[in-house]
Amino acid sequence: MPTWFFIVLQVAVIGCGMVSGFFFTFSDFLMRSLKLAKTAAGVEVMQIINQEIWKSVVMVLLWAMVVLGVILAGYAYFNIAGPASVLVMAGGALYFLGVLVVSFGFNVPMNHRLDAMDCSGPETAAYWENVYV
């Protein structure tokens, strides 16, 4: 295994750990905290988060890990034999499905819908209670 591959693999492991920490934090206590706030306040903060996330280092990290995953999986497919190849390709595929497909296929459209709503409207409160909390 070339040294560059090992280094890129380690960087990807650390990056994926950081992304998973972000998702864990968000789902564990941040969303619970928003639920405990008054509905309009929780919605307003979520709308702000939805706008600010696009300007954050989290987005750079999310996309960088996609690129690294594709590079690593492609290299493993063509140049590594045995279980190591399968594990690296599976890691790239799981990241792609777990982060990109779930986030951009489900969460982002849900957040865009919330962003278009008035944070204190009754329709927004119903949506917030049924979808987010």
Side-chain angles (χ1 to χ4, degrees):
M1 182 180 309
T3 303
W4 73 265
F5 183 80
F6 182 75
I7 292 170
V8 172
L9 191 61
Q10 297 307 307
V11 168
V13 167
I14 292 167
C16 287
M18 292 171 69
V19 171
S20 67
F22 164 74
F23 284 131
F24 178 73
T25 299
F26 205 85
S27 64
D28 180 42
F29 67 85
L30 190 100
M31 287 306 295
R32 275 191 292 124
S33 298
L34 292 174
K35 178 183 177 183
L36 293 173
K38 293 182 180 172
T39 301
V43 169
E44 183 178 14
V45 170
M46 190 68 201
Q47 288 172 333
I48 293 168
I49 289 169
N50 291 341
Q51 294 167 8
E52 292 300 313
I53 193 75
W54 297 103
K55 300 179 248 179
S56 74
V57 70
V58 170
M59 292 308 292
V60 174
L61 193 57
L62 286 172
W63 288 107
M65 293 304 99
V66 169
V67 171
L68 284 182
V70 168
I71 290 169
L72 291 169
Y75 183 83
Y77 180 77
F78 290 109
N79 298 298
I80 298 176
S85 176
V86 173
L87 291 173
V88 172
M89 289 186 299
L94 287 172
Y95 183 87
F96 185 85
L97 291 172
V99 173
L100 285 185
V101 173
V102 171
S103 293
F104 291 95
F106 299 99
N107 296 334
V108 171
M110 183 174 66
N111 290 339
H112 285 308
R113 182 170 178 205
L114 182 71
D115 289 343
M117 296 178 168
D118 173 25
C119 64
S120 60
E123 177 186 333
T124 307
Y127 184 69
W128 179 254
E129 291 298 322
N130 290 326
V131 176
Y132 281 87
V133 291

